[in-house]
Amino acid sequence: MSKFPDAVKFVDLSDKKINLKSNSVDSRFLSPKAIVEDLSSRGINHIMVEGGPATALAFLRNNLVDRAIIVKAPIQFKDPVPSSISEKEICQAGLVKLGQMDSGGDTIEWWSRPERAWPISDDSLWWP
């Protein structure tokens, strides 16, 4: 049995041309809004974004995040890169914290827009 709900579908766009505008602030970066608009035009309305803090922050600041899982590990890097993502930043993006749990020393938080129900209510089904 698959761990994914029946509605989950993986789409390979590697052979498709994607027309995306660069960010108007800095042409080296793609606009998260343009990415979402392009995918939406192809009938893809649910995406999972993985990346570092700059990627996450760009989607948050464009109000493009409906749900978030945040994992905080208790490690310290020699030369840390600050994430600039705070609870305040997440709340300003319209998300509310639904819960958190400990997993082997890591703190896992799950956030969602108030109007969006979490897809699975049983924690053991959605977290490995």
Side-chain angles (χ1 to χ4, degrees):
M1 181 173 138
S2 171
K3 288 177 64 170
F4 300 104
D6 292 337
V8 173
K9 176 180 163 185
F10 294 93
V11 179
D12 180 6
L13 296 176
S14 59
D15 64 338
K16 306 286 188 236
K17 182 176 180 183
I18 299 177
N19 296 311
L20 300 175
K21 300 173 198 158
S22 63
N23 186 324
S24 60
V25 176
D26 188 336
S27 63
R28 296 174 299 159
F29 300 101
L30 295 175
S31 160
K33 187 174 180 185
I35 293 168
V36 171
E37 287 172 353
D38 181 81
L39 293 172
S40 181
S41 74
R42 299 165 191 268
I44 299 170
N45 298 306
H46 299 276
I47 61 172
M48 181 175 76
V49 176
E50 290 185 346
T55 300
L57 202 53
F59 278 83
L60 279 169
R61 288 185 173 163
N62 279 276
N63 291 320
L64 297 171
V65 178
D66 289 333
R67 297 182 191 100
I69 298 171
I70 300 174
V71 179
K72 297 177 182 178
I75 59 173
Q76 181 136 1
F77 293 96
K78 181 178 178 183
D79 296 316
V81 177
S83 75
S84 302
I85 300 174
S86 64
E87 285 201 12
K88 181 180 177 184
E89 187 84 44
I90 298 168
C91 291
Q92 287 175 338
L95 303 177
V96 295
K97 188 193 289 188
L98 300 177
Q100 73 177 45
M101 68 181 190
D102 181 69
S103 178
D106 293 347
T107 301
I108 303 165
E109 302 173 347
W110 50 102
W111 296 74
S112 183
R113 291 194 177 280
E115 67 275 11
R116 298 279 185 176
W118 198 261
I120 300 172
S121 61
D122 183 346
D123 295 346
S124 66
L125 296 176
W126 69 269
W127 194 257

